[in-house]
Amino acid sequence: MSRYRLQPSSDQEAALLEHCRHARYVWNLAVEQHACWMPGRKSAPGFAEQCRQLTEARAENEWLRAGSITVQQQALKDFAQAMSSFFGRTQRKPTWRRRGQGEGFRIVAVKPGDVRRVSRSVGEVKVPKVGWVRFRWSRAVPTGVKSYRVTRDRAGRWHVAFAAIPQPVPAPGTGEVVGVDRGVAVSAALSTGQMLNAPTLRDAKRARLLRLLRKLARAKRGSNRRGKVKAAIARLKAHETDRRKDWVEKTSTDLARRFDVIAVEDLKIAGMTRSARGTVAEPGRNVRQKAGLNRGILASGWGRLVARLEEKAPGRVVKISPAYTSQRCSACGIVDRQARESQASFRCRSCGYAGNADVNAARNIRHAAGHAVSARGGLPLGRPVNREPQRDLLFCG
Ligand SMILES: [Zn+2]
């Protein structure tokens, strides 16, 4: 994760806050538009339409016109992304943003000269309408930065996070296909039987978080103490976010390096078909309450993992319909609703196959990907290929 502590001067801070205000204003307008929408009406405006409306609003409103159009457009883009995550059931519905909460904006079309190092521990980034803002050069800035996001946490600290599109990882050329299933108890299960665990709050940290939340409930509104507790909670959460993002980077690189084809379920369909087992948005009856604390964390991590895989293994990610993946026996193919003994274990009553339920699902995803690939005349399973699979042979997401 390339996140750096931004050190604006007080003038610059005022200008940055103005960008945040614009981003928040535009975001909230988008939320309002979608809140007005009712079933049966014409669909709420999409990104393109909203951009057109933004142009109109800027023409009529001097305050808005004075701001950066990039900041405002990117807020709309964020909103569009949030809505699609919502429909893909990986995230909650985007809501109203309040001042001081999750403040930030994004700048795109960053040129190579817009980020520079001025000394061993100091860098500078060029922010539209603000100028060169210093940041702590705590590690190397990735090459090929395409965009960055500036954020202000509740404690009032500023950060800049640079995004570079990762270099594709070369395929191993073994013809191997892996199925990856999003688990509830573990973050992801592979068809090879391997379980991958995204870091979540460790026990000690979780206890500390609960303690802080109790303290927060007791602290008086607007008090100094309340502010301090809030800041401590924000720090704890930010630390965990960093660790999870790091995990996503390592895991996506590892999968792209080890397998030629990576099969995942199509999230948009997944939300609708897996109610029996429980989806992230609507956990089934068997999902323990304890999982609740991690559910959102795992969900957002999963979406990011798939997005990163598609960047690092372009054309090698197959998205398949998850219908029955959790109820089908990966050994004999029978669909058996009763085979799911618990959240964790699967036992086929027809052939006797028993195993971890998430691994069973991952194996089904792998099988489905195999059919999808060979139906299109490419990549016969189990036979090594010595070249990269061709993009057009695969269902690409
Ligand atoms: Zn079976």
Side-chain angles (χ1 to χ4, degrees), residues 3 24 74 76 79 102 131 147 173 218 246 299 303 339 369 381 386 395 397:
R3 188 160 158 268
R24 189 174 68 236
Q74 289 305 308
L76 288 177
F79 180 80
S147 69
R218 285 198 304 266
D246 201 46
L381 285 183
N386 42 20
F395 289 131

Side-chain angles (χ1 to χ4, degrees), residues 59-377:
E60 287 162 19
N61 188 327
E62 208 190 318
W63 171 68
L64 214 52
R65 192 164 58 238
S68 153
I69 189 154
T70 307
V71 167
Q72 295 163 10
Q73 261 176 5
Q74 289 305 308
L76 288 177
K77 188 135 215 189
D78 285 348
F79 180 80
Q81 179 59 49
M83 282 307 280
S84 96
S85 298
F86 167 62
F87 288 128
R89 310 235 177 167
T90 57
Q91 245 150 62
R92 281 165 205 267
K93 191 166 186 178
T95 54
W96 195 263
R97 264 190 201 158
R98 288 180 187 84
R99 194 169 68 86
Q101 284 180 19
E103 294 266 42
F105 58 88
R106 183 173 44 215
I107 299 297
V108 292
V110 176
K111 289 191 281 293
D114 290 350
V115 184
R116 65 188 185 195
R117 190 174 188 170
V118 292
S119 76
R120 203 177 61 82
S121 59
V122 179
E124 280 183 334
V125 56
K126 202 172 181 183
V127 182
K129 296 190 186 265
V130 181
W132 290 101
V133 182
R134 293 184 149 220
F135 65 88
R136 205 148 68 200
W137 192 283
S138 42
R139 77 205 93 161
V141 172
T143 48
V145 170
K146 291 278 181 283
S147 69
Y148 61 83
R149 176 180 285 283
V150 171
T151 52
R152 181 181 183 272
D153 64 21
R154 287 181 183 193
R157 290 171 309 183
W158 293 90
H159 288 95
V160 59
F162 297 108
I165 294 169
Q167 289 292 312
V169 176
T174 56
E176 249 195 281
V177 181
V178 70
V180 186
D181 181 48
R182 166 179 56 151
V184 175
V186 293
S187 312
L190 304 189
S191 52
T192 59
Q194 195 187 350
M195 306 285 202
L196 306 173
N197 264 303
T200 52
L201 286 176
R202 290 198 191 106
D203 286 347
K205 287 253 167 75
R206 177 174 303 180
R208 189 168 132 71
L209 180 63
L210 290 175
R211 241 185 354 260
L212 285 167
L213 287 170
R214 275 199 299 275
K215 253 189 189 173
L216 185 70
R218 285 198 304 266
K220 229 185 257 152
R221 281 194 163 272
S223 68
N224 227 342
R225 197 168 96 99
R226 192 180 163 87
K228 274 185 192 154
V229 174
K230 270 187 163 176
I233 291 173
R235 266 199 305 278
L236 202 59
K237 287 189 171 166
H239 175 70
E240 294 305 318
T241 306
D242 278 359
R243 284 182 56 216
R244 283 195 311 278
K245 286 188 173 167
D246 201 46
W247 177 84
V248 164
E249 292 309 325
K250 287 196 180 113
T251 305
S252 53
T253 302
D254 180 55
L255 289 173
R257 196 172 282 154
R258 280 166 59 199
F259 302 98
D260 272 351
V261 177
I262 302 139
V264 295
E265 45 177 28
D266 194 330
L267 267 186
K268 285 198 176 124
I269 308 170
M272 285 172 261
T273 52
R274 292 176 82 179
S275 53
R277 184 184 168 192
T279 63
V280 173
E282 294 159 31
R285 274 170 296 139
N286 293 333
V287 181
R288 287 165 302 126
Q289 268 317 101
K290 199 179 156 196
L293 207 71
N294 292 333
R295 205 183 297 141
I297 295 172
L298 295 178
S300 59
W302 177 258
R304 199 174 297 132
L305 178 65
V306 172
R308 272 297 196 245
L309 277 173
E310 289 182 308
E311 285 168 348
K312 291 180 183 176
R316 298 197 280 128
V317 176
V318 184
K319 284 187 174 175
I320 63 115
S321 159
Y324 304 118
T325 48
S326 62
Q327 293 162 7
R328 191 187 295 277
C329 170
S330 62
C332 71
I334 265 188
V335 174
D336 180 358
R337 284 175 185 276
Q338 311 282 300
R340 195 77 185 239
E341 284 190 318
S342 68
Q343 191 61 37
S345 72
F346 184 96
R347 184 180 300 276
C348 176
R349 293 181 301 172
S350 171
C351 76
Y353 168 83
N356 177 281
D358 291 330
V359 171
N360 180 64
R363 283 164 48 119
N364 283 326
I365 291 169
R366 182 194 178 281
H367 291 323
H371 291 311
V373 172
S374 48
R376 292 183 159 213

